[in-house]
Structure formats: C-alpha cells, structure tokens
Amino acid sequence: MTLRSALGNAVGYALLGLACLFVVFAGYWAAMSALNGVTAGRVMFVMSGLGAALITGFSGYFVRKAVAGQVMPSEFDVSVAYRGGR
C-alpha cells in the first residue's frame, strides 16, 4: 500500500466517521426537541447537523473511491451516447 492510498483511506474514513458524529449530533437535538419542545435553535442544530453529515459523508465516500481509482475521469468519452450506439 502506497503512502498516497494509506493517507487517502485515512482521510476518507475520518470524513465518514465525522459524518456519523454529525448524525449523532442531529439525533441528540431531535430527541431534545421531541422531549422538551421545538425551538428555532434546535431546528437549526438538527438541520445543520444533517447537512454537515451529508456533505462529509459524500466527501469521504468520494475520497475513498478516488484513491481506489474507481472514479470516472472527467475527460471520459460519452460520444457513443449521441451516436445511438453505432
């Protein structure tokens, strides 16, 4: 395993772990809202926690796929789609 792949996997897993922590954060504030009533601050914490979880989760997934070489390159030739399969 090269240093690049080891570092990329570590960063990817760290981002996925952070996404899990953001879900726990949002779940805590959702439970507090269910128990003690909804406030604007609690709704903001839930929404920002879920948004951060979404961003860090996708980022971690993409970093791990990029390190593994399973991401489609940006210069991929899609011209066959416009020729009708010919």
Side-chain angles (χ1 to χ4, degrees):
M1 178 178 276
T2 65
L3 179 62
R4 178 181 178 264
S5 64
L7 185 62
N9 280 329
V11 169
Y13 279 126
L15 287 170
L16 289 172
L18 189 60
C20 292
L21 288 177
F22 281 132
V23 169
V24 170
F25 174 81
Y28 170 77
W29 285 108
M32 291 301 293
S33 293
L35 294 175
N36 298 328
V38 178
T39 64
R42 291 180 184 147
V43 170
M44 182 191 68
F45 284 152
V46 171
M47 297 302 288
S48 62
L50 292 176
L54 188 71
I55 291 168
T56 56
F58 280 137
S59 297
Y61 176 76
F62 180 79
V63 166
R64 295 213 355 101
K65 286 292 187 180
V67 168
Q70 297 175 348
V71 178
M72 187 184 338
S74 60
E75 63 272 356
F76 184 72
D77 184 17
V78 294
S79 61
V80 69
Y82 301 110
R83 292 193 310 251
R86 288 180 247 139

